[in-house]
Amino acid sequence: MIWKSTSDSEMFFLSILPLRHDDLKEMLDSNKDSLKLEAMKRIVAMIARGKNASDLFPAVVKNVACKNIEVKKLVYVYLVRYAEEQQDLALLSISTFQRGLKDPNQLIRASALRVLSSIRVTIIVPIMMLAIKEAASDMSPYVRKTAAHAIPKLYSLDPEQKDQLIEVIEKLLADKTTLVAGSVVMAFEEVCPERIDLIHKNYRKLCNLLIDVEEWGQVVIINMLTRYARTQFLNPNINEGSAEAMAMAKRKPYVMDPDHRLLLRNTKPLLQSRNAAVVMAVAQLYFHLAPKAEVGVIAKALVRLLRSHSEVQYVVLQNVATMTIKRRGMFEPYLKSFYIRSTDPTQIKVLKLEVLTNLANETNISTILREFQTYIKSMDKDFVAATIQAIGRCATNIGEVRDTCLNGLVQLLSNRDELVVAESVVVIKKLLQMQPEKHSDIIKHMAKLTDNIQVPMARASILWLIGEYCEHVPKIAPDVLRKMAKSFTNEEDIVKLQIINLAAKLYLTNSKQTKLLTQYVLNLAKYDQNYDIRDRARFIRQLIVPTEKSGALSKYAKKLFLALKPAPVLESPFKDRDHFQLGSLSHLLNAKAGGYQELPDWPEAAPDPSVRNVEVKESVRACDTQCGSDNLICQTFLSPFDSDLFSTESDSASGSESGSGSGEESGSGSASEESEEGSDSEEEEEEMEKDNKKKTKIEFKKQVQESESTVKSYELLHRITGEGLSVEYCFSRQPFSSDANMVAVQMQFTNNSTSETKSLHMEDVKLQSGMRVKEFAEIESLPAGESATAVMGIDFCDSTQAANFQLKFFVSIQPPVGELMQPVFLTENEFKKEQGQLMGMNEITEKLTLDIKCRNEHAIVQRVTTTANLSRVPCGSDKECRFAGRTVTSGSLVLVTVVTKDEGATQLTVNCEKMVIGTMLVKDILLALTQ
C-alpha cells in the first residue's frame, strides 16, 4: 500500500525499520526499481545473518528479468542460495537464466551460469554442459572463471560427463589470464587429477603466472605442482639415501632439471605473501621438493606466521613439528620464537613444547631445561603434564642430561599438586628402565609415596617399578605388597592389576615372606566384579602355584614374569607423519581424509623433459596477462624499472633454456652440482633485490581488479532525446588494446523503441588540438529491446576537455581527471625516491578533517581509488596511505599520500609533474574524502 508513492524521507525510515516478509513481497511487486533494490538488500542481509528467506522465492524469482542491473545482481545472489532447495520454481525460470547467459554485462552472464549450475537436477545436465562450453569461450575472463567453478558441480551431479568436462578443462588450462588459472586448476583437481598429461604443456605458463594469481588460486596451483614435480623430476637429495642410491649418484652426478629450478624460483617470493595459506603452501613445496641446502629459506617465513591468530599458529606448528624431525637445523636459529607465552592456548603450548623438544641438543639443552622449569609452575595442568613428558623425552634423547632430568623429576615428587606428582612418576618409571641398577634410592623413595599418591596411573606405575626391580629393594617390596593387599578392594582396576603382578613377582623371588600375602590377594581378585581381574588372578594362580593340572607352563613362570624388558623409546608423535603432504588436512589429523591425494614417490629415472616444450607467442613474452577482455598490462603502462617483472623468464621453444632467468643453469646438462651451486650463489644478491618488488607485485594485480570494479557509469544519450536509443558509457580502467596512450571508454547502446535502429557510428567528430579518437566498429543494426556494447579509445592528451561528436545526435564525453591515469607498480623505496624528485611547485598539500566514517584505512583507500585510477603502494605505517599512477598520454608520474593524525586531522599531498592535473586531482580527492 505505502509503496505506491514513497518519498525520499519515507525511504530513509524504511531503511532503518525491520520489515515483515509480506512487506518485502509488496516491495518486490512494486513498479519502482528503488523499492525492489531496497527489498533485495534487506533479503540478502537476512541470508547473511543466517535467517530463512526461502518463502520469498516466488516473489524474488519474478524479478530475474528486471532491467535494473543492481536488482538483477542481488536476485542472482539470492537464487544461488536457494536454487537447490526450490528446484521446481527455479526450473520454471530456466529460460530467463539462459537469456542471462547472453547478457552484455559480464556479471549477469556469470551470475546466470552460477545459478544454473546450482540447480541440482539431472534433467538440465545437457543445458548446463552447453552453458559451460559457451562460457569457457566467453570474452570475459570473469565468466570463464565462473565456468571453471561450474565444472566440479556438474561432475558431482553427473560423473558420466567427465570426458566432455576434461575437454573444457583442457581448453581453460590454455587460458592466459591469471583470473582463470586458479579456478581451472581446482576443477582439474576435482575432476581428473590423474590426467597429468594436461599439465605438461601448461607447466611453465603456470609457474610464470603464479605470482599474479589471486591468493587462493596460488594455494591450489602450488599444491598441484608439488605432486606434479614429484612425478616428473628426480630427487635432489638422492645423496642422502641408501648406499645403493649414493653409489648410483656417484656414477651419474645429479643435475637439477631447469623446470624444477623454475618452480622453486617462482614460488620463493610468495613466502612474503600476507596470506598464511600461501606461505604454508610454498613451505610444504620446498620441504618436499627442494635440495636440503635450500629448504632453510622457509623457516623465517613460518616463524613470522607464529604472530598470527591462534588457529593459524596451530596449523603452522603442526607442520613445523613434523619438519623438525628431519630438518632440525633450519629452525635452531629461531629457538626463542617457540618459547611459550602465558596467553597461549593449551594446544599451542603443547605444540611449542613438541618443537622445543625436537630442537633440543647438547648445545641448547641447558637453555631449554631452564624454560621447562618455568613452565612447570604454570596453572594449566595439562600443559604442566606435557612439560614433564617433554623433560623425559629430552633425558632419553640426550644421555648427558639424563641424571639431571631424573633428579629434577624426583624433586617434583614433593609437589603439592598430585597431578604433577603423578605425571612425574610415570616419566621417572620410563627413565629408570634404562639404568635401574644405578637408581635403587629413587625406587625406594617412590615406594614411600604409595601412602600419599592417589592418582591411579601413578600408583600403578610405582607398583610396576617395585615389582620389576624387586631384587634391588628386597626389604621394601614385601611391605608395599602388605599395604596394597590391605586396600585392594578399594583400589582402581588399573592398580589392582599391578598389585596382582607385584604379588606374582614377589612369590617367584621371595616366596618365604610373600606366599600367604600372594594367596590372599589372589583370593580377593577371584571374586572381584571386573572380569579382567578375575581372569588375571585365575591365570596367575595356575602359572605360579604348580598343581597336578598345571602342566609344563609353570616351569617357565620366572622367564615370563621376570624377563628383561626393553627400555621404552620416547618418540615424537610427529615421527613419520611427513608421509602425508604437509599443509593438508590429512597431515593435521594424522589420518587419511576424504579426497586426499597421496604424495607420489620420486621416480627412479627422469621422465622425458621435452613434454613441457611448447611454443610461446611473442605477446606472452612481452606482457603479463591480467584479467579483463584484451586487458594487458603492457610495459608502456609501467615505469621503466618495472618492465622486467612482467617479462617471462623462460619457455623457449626448444626447451634448452627453460629456467626462470637462469641462463647459467640452462644448457648445463653435463655440468657438475658444484657449478650449479656456484651460479646460485652469484644470483642470490640479485634475487634479494627483486624480492621487495615481487612482494608488492602480489598486491598490485588485486588492486587493479578492485580499481576496475569501482568504475562509474555516465549517461551519454537519454532514451527520450535519442528517440528510443539510450547510451551509457564508463571509463573501464583497462588499457586500450589498440593504443596504450588512449583511454578506453566502454559504451552500451540500448534500443528502447519498437523498431530496429541501424548504422550506429560516430559522425562529425570535434576534438581539441592534439586529441585523437579510435572509432569502435560500426554497429549495423540494433533490434528493438536489445543492447550492444562497444569500446572506443580516446586520447585526451592529459586534458579534461570534452570530446564532441555526432551519434545520430550530438553527444559529449568529458573525463574526470582521475580517469586520465593508469595505476603503476612501485615499491616503498621507489615511491620515496620519486617523491623526493617531485617537490616544490610539483607538490600540492591540503589539510582536512575526516568524518568518523572515513577514518579507517579501508575507507580512505576505497574513496581515493574510486576517484582516481591509482594503485596502492606498500607502507610500513597504518597511519599513512600511498598511491601511484601515470598519466595515460605523457606517462607523467602522479603520487598521492594521505597521512592521518589524531581526531581525524589529515594531510593530503599530491606530487605530479603536471601542475594542472595535480591541482584538479587534489580537489576531487578532497571532495571524495569529506563527503
Side-chain angles (χ1 to χ4, degrees), residues 6-17:
T6 309
S7 65
D8 292 341
S9 60
E10 289 173 325
M11 281 297 297
F12 171 75
F13 286 111
L14 287 176
S15 66
I16 61 175
L17 290 173

Side-chain angles (χ1 to χ4, degrees), residues 422-540:
E423 199 63 45
S424 301
V425 168
V426 174
V427 174
I428 289 171
K429 168 203 152 187
K430 294 176 180 176
L431 293 178
L432 288 180
Q433 284 182 260
M434 297 177 182
Q435 294 174 318
E437 64 283 351
K438 292 184 180 180
H439 303 291
S440 57
D441 292 339
I442 295 176
I443 297 174
K444 292 176 184 177
H445 180 69
M446 293 176 70
K448 296 175 183 177
L449 295 173
T450 52
D451 296 333
N452 301 323
I453 295 178
Q454 300 301 321
V455 178
M457 179 57 76
R459 289 174 70 83
S461 296
I462 292 173
L463 293 173
W464 185 91
L465 266 178
I466 294 170
E468 187 68 18
Y469 306 113
C470 56
E471 294 175 353
H472 298 287
V473 284
K475 295 181 180 179
I476 294 176
D479 194 49
V480 172
L481 179 61
R482 179 183 60 79
K483 291 180 180 179
M484 292 295 105
K486 188 175 180 180
S487 62
F488 183 87
T489 54
N490 298 322
E491 298 288 350
E492 293 289 331
D493 292 345
I494 189 173
V495 181
K496 288 178 180 178
L497 290 170
Q498 291 304 328
I499 294 173
I500 296 171
N501 284 345
L502 173 62
K505 291 175 182 178
L506 287 174
Y507 182 88
L508 293 171
T509 58
N510 189 3
S511 61
K512 184 183 291 185
Q513 283 185 282
T514 58
K515 182 176 181 181
L516 293 175
L517 272 175
T518 303
Q519 289 178 350
Y520 175 69
V521 169
L522 292 176
N523 285 333
L524 288 175
K526 183 178 179 181
Y527 301 104
D528 197 87
Q529 292 182 349
N530 187 296
Y531 60 83
D532 283 336
I533 295 170
R534 296 198 302 270
D535 290 348
R536 178 73 63 88
R538 189 180 301 115
F539 166 73
I540 287 177

Side-chain angles (χ1 to χ4, degrees), residues 70-84:
E70 296 302 318
V71 174
K72 187 176 283 192
K73 287 180 189 175
L74 294 176
V75 168
Y76 277 122
V77 170
Y78 176 91
L79 293 176
V80 169
R81 169 65 180 81
Y82 286 108
E84 192 170 349

Side-chain angles (χ1 to χ4, degrees), residues 201-456:
K201 56 188 175 183
N202 298 294
Y203 171 81
R204 293 171 186 163
K205 182 195 71 177
L206 288 172
C207 288
N208 286 313
L209 290 183
L210 188 59
I211 199 166
D212 295 313
V213 177
E214 31 81 27
E215 291 166 341
W216 297 112
Q218 288 173 341
V219 175
V220 175
I221 295 173
I222 290 170
N223 286 327
M224 184 274 291
L225 290 178
T226 302
R227 289 191 294 278
Y228 176 88
R230 286 290 286 251
T231 64
Q232 300 300 310
F233 308 128
L234 292 177
N235 183 359
N237 301 308
I238 193 169
N239 294 334
E240 291 185 4
S242 62
E244 184 180 346
M246 293 176 69
M248 187 181 296
K250 288 178 181 177
R251 288 198 304 269
K252 187 178 180 182
Y254 170 77
V255 177
M256 181 177 282
D257 190 303
D259 285 329
H260 191 171
R261 172 61 60 194
L262 172 69
L263 177 60
L264 294 175
R265 182 161 295 161
N266 284 18
T267 51
K268 185 178 178 181
L270 295 178
L271 287 171
Q272 300 176 28
S273 173
R274 66 179 180 180
N275 188 305
V278 175
V279 177
M280 192 64 249
V282 178
Q284 65 84 26
L285 181 141
Y286 261 74
F287 183 80
H288 291 304
L289 301 182
K292 182 180 179 181
E294 298 179 26
V295 179
V297 298
I298 67 176
K300 188 175 182 180
L302 291 175
V303 169
R304 173 171 62 87
L305 295 183
L306 297 181
R307 295 191 286 270
S308 301
H309 303 294
S310 57
E311 296 83 0
V312 174
Q313 289 184 54
Y314 181 75
V315 175
V316 172
L317 286 168
Q318 287 263 355
N319 289 276
V320 170
T322 302
M323 292 179 187
T324 51
I325 301 294
K326 288 189 176 179
R327 297 278 188 266
R328 183 173 66 185
M330 66 193 230
F331 288 102
E332 283 181 358
Y334 306 99
L335 185 69
K336 291 184 179 179
S337 299
F338 300 102
Y339 285 177
I340 293 158
R341 302 184 183 92
S342 58
T343 54
D344 286 336
T346 302
Q347 64 269 25
I348 300 296
K349 291 177 180 177
V350 172
L351 284 171
K352 284 186 175 180
L353 268 179
E354 180 66 36
V355 174
L356 287 172
T357 308
N358 290 345
L359 294 178
N361 56 32
E362 292 81 355
T363 308
N364 58 28
I365 186 62
S366 57
T367 307
I368 291 175
L369 286 179
R370 279 199 299 272
E371 276 291 307
F372 287 173
Q373 287 173 1
T374 308
Y375 302 158
I376 290 170
K377 300 173 185 176
S378 171
M379 299 298 292
D380 186 341
K381 301 308 173 190
D382 292 334
F383 171 51
V384 172
T387 303
I388 294 170
Q389 292 173 15
I391 292 173
R393 270 184 53 204
C394 288
T396 306
N397 298 335
I398 306 169
E400 290 83 350
V401 295
R402 188 171 299 152
D403 291 343
T404 307
C405 292
L406 200 52
N407 292 332
L409 291 171
V410 170
Q411 291 176 12
L412 290 177
L413 296 178
S414 58
N415 196 291
R416 293 180 181 179
D417 192 322
E418 64 177 19
L419 289 175
V420 173
V421 176
E423 199 63 45
S424 301
V425 168
V426 174
V427 174
I428 289 171
K429 168 203 152 187
K430 294 176 180 176
L431 293 178
L432 288 180
Q433 284 182 260
M434 297 177 182
Q435 294 174 318
E437 64 283 351
K438 292 184 180 180
H439 303 291
S440 57
D441 292 339
I442 295 176
I443 297 174
K444 292 176 184 177
H445 180 69
M446 293 176 70
K448 296 175 183 177
L449 295 173
T450 52
D451 296 333
N452 301 323
I453 295 178
Q454 300 301 321
V455 178

Side-chain angles (χ1 to χ4, degrees), residues 523-713:
N523 285 333
L524 288 175
K526 183 178 179 181
Y527 301 104
D528 197 87
Q529 292 182 349
N530 187 296
Y531 60 83
D532 283 336
I533 295 170
R534 296 198 302 270
D535 290 348
R536 178 73 63 88
R538 189 180 301 115
F539 166 73
I540 287 177
R541 186 188 294 274
Q542 293 296 320
L543 196 60
I544 66 173
V545 184
T547 62
E548 294 179 359
K549 298 180 180 179
S550 295
L553 195 61
S554 60
K555 298 176 184 177
Y556 304 101
K558 280 195 175 184
K559 290 185 178 180
L560 288 171
F561 280 99
L562 303 175
L564 287 174
K565 299 174 181 63
V569 179
L570 299 178
E571 290 184 338
S572 168
F574 290 87
K575 187 180 180 183
D576 298 328
R577 198 185 279 199
D578 61 338
H579 67 275
F580 290 116
Q581 186 172 351
L582 267 63
S584 64
L585 178 62
S586 298
H587 175 269
L588 193 71
L589 301 175
N590 199 21
K592 190 172 181 179
Y596 173 73
Q597 297 176 42
E598 295 283 354
L599 191 66
D601 291 327
W602 293 100
E604 293 182 3
D608 182 12
S610 64
V611 294
R612 291 182 292 278
N613 292 345
V614 290
E615 185 176 353
V616 181
K617 296 178 181 178
E618 289 300 320
S619 59
V620 180
R621 289 203 177 100
C623 307
D624 189 26
T625 312
Q626 287 287 342
C627 64
S629 176
D630 293 325
N631 181 18
L632 296 174
I633 298 191
C634 302
Q635 293 177 0
T636 54
F637 179 102
L638 302 169
S639 62
F641 43 71
D642 296 328
S643 58
D644 62 313
L645 294 177
F646 282 84
S647 60
T648 56
E649 301 170 333
S650 64
D651 295 16
S652 64
S654 65
S656 61
E657 294 183 3
S658 53
S660 177
S662 58
E664 296 90 340
E665 292 169 12
S666 57
S668 62
S670 60
S672 65
E673 188 174 356
E674 287 78 4
S675 65
E676 183 180 331
E677 290 175 356
S679 64
D680 286 346
S681 62
E682 291 172 5
E683 292 170 359
E684 191 66 28
E685 292 182 6
E686 184 181 346
E687 284 184 11
M688 291 293 291
E689 292 174 3
K690 289 186 178 180
D691 274 354
N692 237 0
K693 286 185 182 179
K694 292 190 176 181
K695 178 182 177 183
T696 312
K697 183 169 175 279
I698 295 171
E699 303 291 328
F700 181 63
K701 172 223 163 227
K702 184 176 180 182
Q703 292 169 18
V704 172
Q705 290 180 354
E706 290 174 350
S707 175
E708 291 169 5
S709 66
T710 60
V711 295
K712 297 180 182 177
S713 293

